[in-house]
Amino acid sequence: MKTEGEIGKPLPRIDALEKATGVASFTTDLKLPGMLHAKVLRSPYPHARIVSIDTAEAEKLPGVRAVATYENTTECCFNSSCSEANPPAVPVEDEQIFNRELRYVGDEVAAVAADTEETAKRALELIRVEYEELPAVFDPLEALKPDAPAVHPCFIGNNIAGMAKLPMGDLEKGFAESDIILEEQFKLPVVKHCQLETQAAVADYSASGHLTVWSTTQSPHPLKNLLAKLFGMPASRVRVLNPPYIGGAFGSHVGMSGKAEPIAAALAMLAGKPVRFVYDRKEDFIASTTRHSGYITVKLGAKRDGSFQALYLNAVLNTGGYANAGPDVTAVLGVTNISIYQIPNVFYDGLCVYTNTTTAGAMRGFGNPQGNFAVESTVDMMAERLGMDPMELRLKNTMTPYAPWLPPYPCATCGLAECMEKGAQKIGWADRDSLLKNPGHGKVRGIGMAAGTHVSNSWPFAVEFDNAYLAVMEDGSANLAVGVPDMGQGIATTLSQVAASSLGIPMDQVSIVFGDTASTPYDIGSHASRTLYSAGTAVEAAGRDAKQKILEFAAEQLKTEPETLTLENGMILADGEPRMTMGEAAHLIHRANRQIIGIGQTVPFNAPPWHAHFAEVEVDMETGQIEVLHLAAAHDVGRAINPDIVEGQIHGSVLQGIGYALSEQIVYDKKGRQAQDSFHKYYLPTMLETPDIDVILVETNEPSGPFGAKGVGECGLVPTAAAIANAVYHATGIRFHEIPITEEKMLDAIKKKEKE
Amino acid sequence: MKTEGEIGKPLPRIDALEKATGVASFTTDLKLPGMLHAKVLRSPYPHARIVSIDTAEAEKLPGVRAVATYENTTECCFNSSCSEANPPAVPVEDEQIFNRELRYVGDEVAAVAADTEETAKRALELIRVEYEELPAVFDPLEALKPDAPAVHPCFIGNNIAGMAKLPMGDLEKGFAESDIILEEQFKLPVVKHCQLETQAAVADYSASGHLTVWSTTQSPHPLKNLLAKLFGMPASRVRVLNPPYIGGAFGSHVGMSGKAEPIAAALAMLAGKPVRFVYDRKEDFIASTTRHSGYITVKLGAKRDGSFQALYLNAVLNTGGYANAGPDVTAVLGVTNISIYQIPNVFYDGLCVYTNTTTAGAMRGFGNPQGNFAVESTVDMMAERLGMDPMELRLKNTMTPYAPWLPPYPCATCGLAECMEKGAQKIGWADRDSLLKNPGHGKVRGIGMAAGTHVSNSWPFAVEFDNAYLAVMEDGSANLAVGVPDMGQGIATTLSQVAASSLGIPMDQVSIVFGDTASTPYDIGSHASRTLYSAGTAVEAAGRDAKQKILEFAAEQLKTEPETLTLENGMILADGEPRMTMGEAAHLIHRANRQIIGIGQTVPFNAPPWHAHFAEVEVDMETGQIEVLHLAAAHDVGRAINPDIVEGQIHGSVLQGIGYALSEQIVYDKKGRQAQDSFHKYYLPTMLETPDIDVILVETNEPSGPFGAKGVGECGLVPTAAAIANAVYHATGIRFHEIPITEEKMLDAIKKKEKE
């Protein structure tokens, strides 16, 4: 990889030492003078109406400072993901801090703030609630039936929270011209983010009427606006900030962190004291957003030569009790999965459906992993039907730059073919059929692959812009202020590299302020793999702006034209000759009564990252256990600003993909209760399940991205499940239409196959 | 007073409720996890060299985490006032964190950080220091003698830390053409600021190499630069902030707060833990800056008609052990006191002299009160010699706009005559000689006056510029970020009014971030009566910039030209007709993917505020007690942005002026020890000494100031002592050439006069 300033260097993360030594500060670490602790009473029913609620006994308990219910909090309706979807989508505002009608087991009924957590817990037991149980529905296909219980009143059909219809070409004609048509149905599970830090907020309402909320949110600025609206305050009086670290998020804290922020804020206002509210792990599992489960149908038509003619993709996603990001997720599932290949005739039909399960929302991949599992399993089956090598089939149809496609922005760069070729080489694809398929001990091995694409941003699907300040100090160092949070992905480091390189100074001269609405300009938050791609454009612009101003000043000093000057690594050069250090220039500017402030204000574009994953698995035919031995993950990231951080992102998301493929799921019992509500019951991959992961970075230099970068944060999760399922098929000849492929399912299928 | 937006309205201070309810946070309130407490060992000698220092026993004491001395801290020399004087002045950098040679009783020798304050104190007793005593000098006239001990080696004469020579016209000719020439000598005492909160800092040095210092500083940004230089770090890695409040300052925290910041920082780096260092009151008295004491000679020549012909002003100021702001104070004394009247021939000759007393530095008025007492006492004497009414004499000579004068900027506005006329009316000047001069009980009464001027800024005497961000929120409210601290003067409120009015929204829609180097652009700090005048220009510019951008957007929406639109009180009007609210416009801008950010970057000018004080006093001829009965303070403030805050500033500074005139002083014994080192020994005026204070605001709409405002923060102190001394003369016929006029001095003088 070519470096350019600090771009392309695997520099250590600026938060590494603080995190390694345990002194980094997270929301749960905060202690304010007089701070109270909050606990929440949650619905025991999947669907019920509150008939009456009596908090008198709870309020009498010594140490209880405030009890909040729907009776003393705002009626204002909102969408806790802070969705600002653009037309034709519309943000669905169907939640209240405390809903009058409860729509899943765990829905918020009341909250208590007390001197200690123990007192708050005891107070919950003293709240008397009379519920009227209502009929419930848990499956989205059931919920669509005309006689299903209505989770919400909906205008466009029973329990439909949102829909997306994306047409291109003539689907009927496409299928008519196809030689082979496959139609497959897939079922996807509910899974959870399992970020280390649960939803947390500390709220302080000052005597002067300013609300400050420290929290785990991934979107401080949009949340600031939402809290202002909820509490009827000017947005400038609300400050939302990360403290500054977040212990992971993966989408679970897009907008609100569960309801940690509004509940802490409401209690702080009622009690007149700061309030801390930290979800316990059970609350995280049952009462914060999940990945959307659902049903996906893929109908794919191809000619005998392998050229795809038509793709019909249908998704019915279960968004649970509230819409949250569901309509947006439904759209992204379609946009991403009809865009991997050049197919002249496509149609995506997505439905987002309410049920009485935990609300689903944003989770790394945002619908894409669901669709990818379905589409890439089907492509694998098509290859078999065509008698073609699965990679050959994919290469034949792969997207190329500026080919027609459905997204409302061009595909300017596409390294998918290169990803496939390099990944194939790494995994030994060419020899996969001569692979030692039977290593003994009743085990079989196989290699599978899957390809995918994603977005780098939410533009133009939602409100999308970014801003950055880059203030140059008297000594030539610089302070970057940008509104994004760093939820653990290392963005503070990467954006500092962008700032340093754009301005032309070394990385150690840049400091960064982030995740604080009071000290940074607006940013829509960290999600959609957008943070580097999108905020990076504003940071790069701010750096360029500052550099230009410095060179103009230096040109005056050096009696030359700014165009003849460059600023590199802290040195101003004229025609390549060092003339003045940045520190000297900055000091002179300071003494000339001026601070150089670079301003970046951008409306970032969008661009597709590309990825091909290759998995080698070993299946124990006696136990059904599946082990991923090796995973080669080739990614077109546009440009790797910090290769170590990019690799880290891909490693983590591959692991989440392995869990998605093989072990993770939440199921509901007949009373709508979540069977998995702890790490003991929910099977995350551990180090034991971690394969050798080879990350291959492909650089295509996306013209719309900062220094050529595209999104990467979510991508490693996207094709992992399909690659593994395809490898399982390669090893065993057994095709799964449902994940996770647990040991039980695998063993059942092996037995079933043996009987055939 | 005419209002304009929120300008001219006596709005409540935004910090009022927090301060009244006791929840406002000051440096001394901060508690960080693992925080240590610091104590300092101070020199018992006025002048000594450290021969050896042994900290071994102190380090062994359980609970001691670090001991700092000159042996393990930087040798780097600095000026703790962060002076950035422009040529011909030069910042004198004559201090180190721990000086090898000690130059006053209280100079820092060593510092200890320990788990508790008690342990730190005990550790100080275990530090063994061998001192070599050196000859000391305490009086600046003595210090100038060739054989005086050298406090510092100086190039331009013995113990001269700085000088100012300001000539205009032909002095010799001026005196030659004068009919009457008076030459008077005056002596000024050492006094202290007596701000409520002592010097305090909490320093945290992070694992990632970032230094954060919360402190009482009046100049966060310059101090950030200085700390970076001291500790060899990029300035962007140092963050200095107020937390956010300061319990008063009055100049005592210009730059460093004593040495609280560097000592806390050095200890934090040595100990690897956060360190809190809060001066006790004794340390505040003996080891933080004082007002300059000294000697002033005034030679004034006038024609018989009262027209002043020549003024020679000579000041010898005692800056104590280190230069600090002394050279700057010396210059300001001259600039301000030769500019009250139109005098064709003037010469100011100022010397700033080292002695072995506590370092003198910035204190409200910055040299001006010293000079004013001398000049305005002399003018009073001249009136008597001429047989003229003192006000008549002053009115005859008063400065007028654009008249020739010495400061390097024009006098664009001058309300001094109006101040005199309105103040005179309020005090009953016309009847002063028919006043009940003998109210009985051995008491006599008199009325005196004094006039003065000041600066509104430090331009062009020092590096001077200002910046502001004004970020408009999605709902049309706005967040102002500006680098000034609010040390209690209410500037956060006043600047919010400027922002609101400049942008065109109501005050309650504006929030403000201040006193934090990480989240605000550069500002040189709060001093020189500059904060509103100077930062206000940047805030006003930022508001205009944001307004212009909003009106451009609105014009597009309304299909008109921006010039036809105005934005007032949150409403966009076309030709005076309401068309769109600010909230609507801001929301549309947000949905159009944009944040409006107003940027203000200014090099503020300078402008003279004007003031005339009239005091009525009652002298008890039997005890010598002097009571100020009534004080009328008329001030040309340009424009009173918030009249209540302006009045508050004047009330407070008048009180300090009364203390200066009558009771406050620190004297040194023969061993250089401060006799007054507590509020028990140092006589501040209390409520009992507070007269009726009438504030009269005169508005001249200074064109260079924000909405016409000029400086006001220091002005109430300037002419108070002279007005009182002149009133004492009017009452008793006794003229004092020295303040404070204590009961003892008054009684001695009465007795002496009775003997004559």
Side-chain angles (χ1 to χ4, degrees):
Chain A
M1 265 152 281
K2 200 168 69 76
T3 63
E4 177 182 354
E6 304 291 22
I7 303 299
K9 294 185 184 169
L11 299 175
R13 285 172 56 148
I14 59 175
D15 53 351
L17 272 168
E18 276 175 88
K19 286 183 176 168
T21 56
V23 298
S25 183
F26 295 85
T27 304
T28 45
D29 295 321
L30 295 180
K31 282 180 194 156
L32 300 192
M35 186 175 77
L36 307 176
H37 300 265
K39 283 285 169 190
V40 162
L41 183 68
R42 297 184 176 281
S43 174
Y45 303 111
H47 201 184
R49 194 173 292 119
I50 298 174
V51 177
S52 68
I53 186 160
D54 178 0
T55 61
E57 289 301 309
E59 281 163 24
K60 279 184 208 153
L61 186 68
V64 170
R65 304 294 170 180
V67 181
T69 67
Y70 73 79
E71 292 178 339
N72 60 359
T73 51
T74 174
E75 285 195 323
C76 183
C77 285
F78 58 88
N79 182 309
S80 60
S81 78
C82 294
S83 170
E84 293 194 299
N86 280 327
V90 178
V92 181
E93 297 184 331
D94 58 6
E95 301 172 76
Q96 294 162 308
I97 300 181
F98 298 101
N99 298 294
R100 281 67 169 152
E101 189 176 318
L102 306 166
R103 296 183 176 94
Y104 68 92
V105 173
D107 210 346
E108 289 78 13
V109 174
V112 172
D115 294 345
T116 67
E117 280 200 30
E118 292 62 37
T119 304
K121 266 188 206 172
R122 280 203 292 142
L124 293 185
E125 293 162 18
L126 300 176
I127 298 174
R128 303 276 162 262
V129 188
E130 192 185 338
Y131 299 99
E132 179 195 348
E133 279 193 72
L134 299 170
V137 60
F138 305 117
D139 183 89
L141 296 176
E142 292 296 320
L144 286 170
K145 293 180 178 167
D147 57 347
V151 182
H152 290 269
C154 295
F155 297 113
I156 51 171
N158 206 29
N159 289 319
I160 295 178
M163 57 169 60
K165 292 188 188 295
L166 306 174
M168 185 173 76
D170 182 337
L171 197 69
E172 216 166 310
K173 178 168 162 279
F175 283 120
E177 293 173 356
S178 297
D179 298 316
I180 297 172
I181 296 171
L182 287 183
E183 183 166 351
E184 304 291 331
Q185 285 189 313
F186 300 86
K187 189 177 172 194
L188 287 305
V190 170
V191 296
K192 272 298 291 174
H193 315 75
C194 298
Q195 77 292 346
L196 270 182
E197 186 183 21
T198 58
Q199 295 68 19
V202 175
D204 185 32
Y205 185 67
S206 78
S208 56
H210 285 73
L211 177 64
T212 305
V213 181
W214 293 260
S215 91
T216 50
T217 181
Q218 293 175 236
S219 7
H221 284 275
L223 179 55
K224 168 200 67 188
N225 287 351
L226 177 51
L227 292 174
K229 185 183 151 202
L230 275 186
F231 294 105
M233 307 164 68
S236 61
R237 285 210 196 173
V238 182
R239 178 181 191 179
V240 175
L241 67 165
N242 308 127
Y245 295 117
I246 305 173
F250 310 120
S252 60
H253 309 160
V254 170
M256 292 174 182
S257 307
K259 284 186 189 160
E261 292 93 347
I263 288 174
L267 287 170
M269 288 174 169
L270 288 168
K273 290 193 167 193
V275 173
R276 173 183 187 268
F277 180 27
V278 179
Y279 277 41
D280 62 27
R281 186 58 64 183
K282 179 172 174 175
E283 287 178 300
D284 170 53
F285 266 103
I286 74 168
S288 82
T289 53
T290 71
R291 184 183 293 288
H292 284 79
S293 60
Y295 300 92
I296 296 178
T297 302
V298 184
K299 188 175 171 187
L300 179 64
K303 284 199 182 285
R304 259 182 230 296
D305 67 357
S307 59
F308 295 158
Q309 297 303 310
L311 171 65
Y312 170 74
L313 186 62
N314 175 291
V316 178
L317 295 183
N318 174 11
T319 203
Y322 299 92
N324 198 276
D328 317 75
V329 168
T330 306
V332 169
L333 190 158
V335 168
T336 49
N337 282 293
I338 56 183
S339 306
I340 310 171
Y341 303 108
Q342 296 186 52
I343 312 178
N345 308 291
V346 297
F347 188 83
Y348 171 64
D349 191 359
L351 278 182
C352 178
V353 182
Y354 288 121
T355 71
N356 295 111
T357 59
T358 303
T359 303
M363 183 175 161
R364 204 174 200 171
F366 209 79
N368 192 352
Q370 292 97 311
N372 188 278
F373 170 67
V375 169
E376 284 295 284
S377 292
T378 306
V379 168
D380 215 58
M381 294 157 81
M382 180 62 85
E384 188 176 34
R385 279 288 297 276
L386 290 164
M388 283 176 79
D389 177 273
M391 186 161 98
E392 191 192 333
L393 177 62
R394 287 180 170 93
L395 280 169
K396 186 175 182 65
N397 290 286
T398 187
M399 182 58 57
T400 54
Y402 299 104
W405 74 343
L406 206 135
Y409 45 87
C411 167
T413 52
C414 179
L416 181 53
E418 189 179 344
C419 286
M420 288 199 259
E421 281 150 11
K422 290 193 168 162
Q425 197 169 13
K426 185 63 83 176
I427 204 82
W429 181 263
D431 304 320
R432 77 170 193 146
D433 289 320
S434 56
L435 179 75
L436 177 65
K437 294 201 71 168
N438 295 292
H441 308 286
K443 292 176 176 174
V444 295
R445 290 183 180 176
I447 290 177
M449 72 169 290
T453 185
H454 196 59
V455 295
S456 294
N457 197 5
S458 55
W459 183 87
F461 309 112
V463 168
E464 167 60 52
F465 56 109
D466 233 305
N467 301 286
Y469 301 142
L470 188 64
V472 177
M473 307 283 120
E474 180 263 352
D475 63 353
S477 64
N479 201 339
L480 173 64
V482 58
V484 302
D486 188 335
M487 55 190 183
Q489 80 275 50
I491 193 66
T493 304
T494 312
L495 289 178
S496 296
Q497 288 179 260
V498 171
S501 306
S502 177
L503 177 54
I505 61 176
M507 168 77 170
D508 69 359
Q509 299 289 305
V510 174
S511 289
I512 178 170
V513 177
F514 58 93
D516 177 4
T517 63
S519 48
T520 65
Y522 201 84
D523 159 83
I524 71 165
S526 197
H527 51 77
S529 296
R530 73 179 288 282
T531 323
L532 166 63
Y533 174 84
S534 185
T537 61
V539 172
E540 194 189 3
R544 278 199 312 268
D545 184 32
K547 177 156 71 179
Q548 179 61 26
K549 289 169 180 168
I550 288 160
L551 293 184
E552 283 166 11
F553 177 89
E556 274 178 37
Q557 298 288 314
L558 299 170
K559 303 195 192 319
T560 180
E561 294 303 310
E563 299 71 36
T564 66
L565 299 178
T566 56
L567 171 52
E568 290 168 26
N569 198 32
M571 181 63 73
I572 295 168
L573 307 103
D575 301 321
E577 287 297 311
R579 295 295 296 277
M580 184 187 267
T581 70
M582 173 69 174
E584 287 164 353
H587 179 71
L588 288 174
I589 290 167
H590 177 86
R591 294 290 314 189
N593 298 323
R594 187 169 167 210
Q595 180 173 36
I596 299 293
I597 299 173
I599 307 282
Q601 296 199 278
T602 53
V603 182
F605 213 51
N606 210 333
W610 300 92
H611 29 265
H613 281 195
F614 295 79
E616 178 180 359
V617 304
E618 181 176 88
V619 182
D620 187 323
M621 299 300 280
E622 287 169 18
T623 64
Q625 193 180 29
I626 302 169
E627 188 180 353
V628 182
L629 300 174
H630 184 189
L631 199 135
H635 284 250
D636 167 11
V637 299
R639 180 99 179 260
I641 304 294
N642 185 319
D644 273 5
I645 288 177
V646 173
E647 280 206 35
Q649 284 278 48
I650 294 170
H651 272 251
S653 49
V654 161
L655 253 284
Q656 284 184 310
I658 291 173
Y660 194 45
L662 299 180
S663 62
E664 298 183 36
Q665 65 180 325
I666 288 175
V667 297
Y668 294 81
D669 70 13
K670 285 181 182 171
K671 292 185 172 173
R673 293 176 303 202
Q674 302 86 347
Q676 289 75 22
D677 58 10
S678 74
F679 284 151
H680 292 107
K681 302 175 192 164
Y682 182 89
Y683 302 122
L684 279 176
T686 69
M687 280 312 290
L688 294 176
E689 284 81 33
T690 305
D692 288 337
I693 301 174
D694 280 310
V695 173
I696 301 131
L697 299 181
V698 170
E699 297 195 326
T700 51
N701 285 302
E702 167 63 33
S704 67
F707 289 96
K710 297 196 273 198
V712 67
E714 301 169 283
C715 297
L717 218 154
V718 172
T720 301
I724 291 170
N726 291 342
V728 167
Y729 180 77
H730 185 236
T732 64
I734 297 169
R735 173 67 59 188
F736 286 89
H737 285 71
E738 184 179 340
I739 48 173
I741 312 173
T742 60
E743 287 180 40
E744 294 77 5
K745 276 191 216 156
M746 187 74 237
L747 195 58
D748 285 352
I750 291 167
K751 285 179 183 163
K752 195 174 155 202
K753 187 164 192 249
E754 281 167 357
K755 279 183 198 157
E756 280 169 9
Chain B
M1 268 154 277
K2 200 167 70 77
T3 65
E4 177 182 356
E6 303 292 21
I7 303 298
K9 293 184 185 170
L11 298 175
R13 285 171 58 143
I14 60 175
D15 53 350
L17 272 167
E18 276 175 88
K19 286 185 176 169
T21 56
V23 297
S25 183
F26 296 83
T27 303
T28 45
D29 294 322
L30 295 180
K31 282 179 195 158
L32 301 192
M35 187 175 78
L36 306 176
H37 300 266
K39 283 286 172 190
V40 162
L41 182 68
R42 298 187 176 280
S43 174
Y45 302 111
H47 200 185
R49 195 174 291 119
I50 298 175
V51 176
S52 68
I53 184 160
D54 178 0
T55 61
E57 288 302 310
E59 281 163 25
K60 279 185 209 154
L61 187 69
V64 170
R65 305 294 171 182
V67 181
T69 67
Y70 72 80
E71 291 177 342
N72 61 359
T73 52
T74 176
E75 284 195 324
C76 184
C77 286
F78 57 87
N79 183 309
S80 61
S81 78
C82 292
S83 169
E84 293 194 298
N86 280 327
V90 179
V92 181
E93 298 183 330
D94 57 7
E95 300 174 77
Q96 295 161 308
I97 300 180
F98 298 102
N99 297 295
R100 281 68 170 153
E101 187 176 320
L102 306 166
R103 297 184 176 93
Y104 69 91
V105 172
D107 209 346
E108 289 78 12
V109 173
V112 172
D115 293 344
T116 66
E117 279 199 30
E118 290 64 35
T119 304
K121 264 187 208 173
R122 278 203 293 141
L124 294 186
E125 293 163 16
L126 300 175
I127 297 174
R128 302 277 162 263
V129 188
E130 192 187 335
Y131 298 98
E132 179 196 346
E133 279 193 73
L134 299 171
V137 60
F138 305 117
D139 182 89
L141 296 177
E142 292 296 320
L144 286 171
K145 293 180 179 166
D147 57 345
V151 182
H152 291 269
C154 294
F155 296 112
I156 49 171
N158 206 31
N159 289 317
I160 294 178
M163 57 170 60
K165 294 189 187 294
L166 306 174
M168 187 173 74
D170 181 337
L171 197 69
E172 214 167 312
K173 179 170 162 275
F175 283 120
E177 292 173 357
S178 297
D179 297 315
I180 296 172
I181 296 171
L182 288 182
E183 184 167 350
E184 303 291 329
Q185 284 189 313
F186 299 86
K187 189 178 173 194
L188 287 307
V190 171
V191 297
K192 275 297 292 173
H193 314 74
C194 297
Q195 77 292 347
L196 269 183
E197 187 184 21
T198 58
Q199 294 70 17
V202 175
D204 185 31
Y205 185 67
S206 80
S208 57
H210 285 73
L211 176 66
T212 305
V213 181
W214 293 260
S215 90
T216 49
T217 181
Q218 294 175 235
S219 7
H221 284 274
L223 179 55
K224 169 198 69 187
N225 287 351
L226 178 51
L227 292 175
K229 186 183 149 201
L230 274 187
F231 295 106
M233 308 165 67
S236 61
R237 284 209 194 173
V238 181
R239 178 181 189 179
V240 176
L241 66 165
N242 308 126
Y245 295 117
I246 304 173
F250 310 120
S252 60
H253 309 158
V254 170
M256 292 174 181
S257 306
K259 285 186 188 159
E261 293 93 347
I263 288 174
L267 288 170
M269 288 176 169
L270 289 169
K273 291 194 166 191
V275 173
R276 173 183 189 266
F277 179 27
V278 179
Y279 278 39
D280 62 26
R281 185 59 66 183
K282 178 171 175 176
E283 288 178 300
D284 170 55
F285 266 103
I286 73 166
S288 82
T289 52
T290 70
R291 183 184 294 288
H292 284 78
S293 59
Y295 300 91
I296 296 178
T297 301
V298 184
K299 187 175 172 188
L300 177 63
K303 284 199 181 287
R304 262 189 224 295
D305 67 357
S307 60
F308 294 157
Q309 298 304 310
L311 171 65
Y312 170 74
L313 186 63
N314 175 290
V316 178
L317 296 184
N318 175 11
T319 202
Y322 299 93
N324 198 276
D328 317 77
V329 167
T330 306
V332 170
L333 189 159
V335 169
T336 49
N337 282 293
I338 57 183
S339 306
I340 311 170
Y341 302 107
Q342 297 187 51
I343 312 178
N345 307 293
V346 297
F347 188 81
Y348 170 65
D349 191 359
L351 277 184
C352 177
V353 181
Y354 288 122
T355 69
N356 294 114
T357 59
T358 304
T359 303
M363 183 176 163
R364 203 175 202 171
F366 209 80
N368 192 351
Q370 290 97 311
N372 189 277
F373 170 67
V375 169
E376 284 294 284
S377 290
T378 307
V379 168
D380 216 57
M381 293 157 83
M382 180 64 84
E384 191 177 33
R385 279 288 297 277
L386 290 164
M388 281 177 79
D389 178 273
M391 186 162 98
E392 191 193 334
L393 177 62
R394 288 180 171 92
L395 281 170
K396 184 172 182 67
N397 290 285
T398 185
M399 182 59 55
T400 54
Y402 298 103
W405 73 344
L406 205 135
Y409 45 87
C411 168
T413 51
C414 179
L416 181 54
E418 190 179 343
C419 286
M420 288 198 259
E421 279 151 10
K422 289 193 168 162
Q425 195 168 16
K426 183 63 83 175
I427 204 82
W429 182 266
D431 304 320
R432 77 169 191 145
D433 288 318
S434 56
L435 178 77
L436 176 63
K437 293 200 72 167
N438 294 294
H441 306 290
K443 293 176 177 176
V444 295
R445 290 183 179 176
I447 290 177
M449 72 171 290
T453 184
H454 196 59
V455 295
S456 293
N457 197 5
S458 55
W459 184 87
F461 308 113
V463 168
E464 166 61 53
F465 57 108
D466 232 306
N467 300 286
Y469 301 144
L470 188 64
V472 178
M473 306 283 121
E474 180 263 353
D475 63 353
S477 64
N479 200 339
L480 174 64
V482 60
V484 301
D486 188 334
M487 54 190 182
Q489 80 273 54
I491 193 68
T493 304
T494 311
L495 289 177
S496 296
Q497 287 179 262
V498 170
S501 306
S502 176
L503 178 54
I505 62 176
M507 167 77 172
D508 68 0
Q509 299 289 305
V510 174
S511 289
I512 178 169
V513 177
F514 58 92
D516 177 4
T517 63
S519 48
T520 65
Y522 202 84
D523 160 83
I524 71 164
S526 198
H527 51 78
S529 296
R530 72 177 288 282
T531 324
L532 166 63
Y533 174 84
S534 183
T537 61
V539 172
E540 192 189 6
R544 278 200 312 268
D545 184 34
K547 176 155 73 176
Q548 178 62 22
K549 290 167 178 168
I550 289 160
L551 294 183
E552 282 165 12
F553 178 90
E556 275 178 37
Q557 298 289 311
L558 299 170
K559 305 194 192 318
T560 179
E561 295 302 312
E563 298 71 39
T564 66
L565 299 178
T566 56
L567 171 51
E568 290 167 25
N569 199 29
M571 180 63 74
I572 294 167
L573 306 104
D575 302 320
E577 286 299 310
R579 296 294 297 276
M580 185 186 268
T581 69
M582 173 70 175
E584 287 163 353
H587 180 70
L588 289 174
I589 291 167
H590 177 85
R591 295 293 310 190
N593 298 324
R594 188 170 166 211
Q595 180 173 34
I596 300 293
I597 299 172
I599 307 282
Q601 295 199 279
T602 52
V603 182
F605 213 53
N606 209 334
W610 301 93
H611 29 266
H613 281 196
F614 296 78
E616 179 180 357
V617 304
E618 181 176 87
V619 182
D620 186 322
M621 300 297 281
E622 285 168 21
T623 65
Q625 193 179 29
I626 302 169
E627 188 180 354
V628 182
L629 300 174
H630 184 190
L631 199 137
H635 283 252
D636 167 11
V637 299
R639 181 98 179 259
I641 304 295
N642 186 318
D644 273 5
I645 288 179
V646 173
E647 281 206 34
Q649 284 278 48
I650 295 171
H651 271 250
S653 49
V654 161
L655 253 284
Q656 285 185 310
I658 291 173
Y660 194 44
L662 300 179
S663 61
E664 297 183 38
Q665 65 178 325
I666 288 177
V667 296
Y668 293 81
D669 70 14
K670 284 180 184 172
K671 292 183 172 175
R673 292 175 304 202
Q674 303 84 349
Q676 289 75 21
D677 58 11
S678 75
F679 285 152
H680 291 108
K681 301 177 194 163
Y682 183 88
Y683 301 121
L684 280 174
T686 70
M687 283 309 291
L688 293 177
E689 284 81 35
T690 306
D692 288 337
I693 301 174
D694 279 309
V695 173
I696 301 133
L697 298 181
V698 170
E699 297 194 326
T700 50
N701 283 302
E702 167 61 35
S704 67
F707 289 97
K710 297 194 272 196
V712 66
E714 301 170 281
C715 297
L717 218 155
V718 173
T720 301
I724 290 170
N726 292 340
V728 168
Y729 180 78
H730 185 236
T732 64
I734 297 170
R735 173 68 60 188
F736 285 90
H737 284 72
E738 184 179 340
I739 48 174
I741 311 173
T742 59
E743 287 179 41
E744 293 77 6
K745 275 191 217 157
M746 186 73 239
L747 196 57
D748 285 349
I750 291 167
K751 285 181 182 161
K752 195 174 156 203
K753 187 166 191 248
E754 282 168 356
K755 280 185 198 157
E756 283 168 6

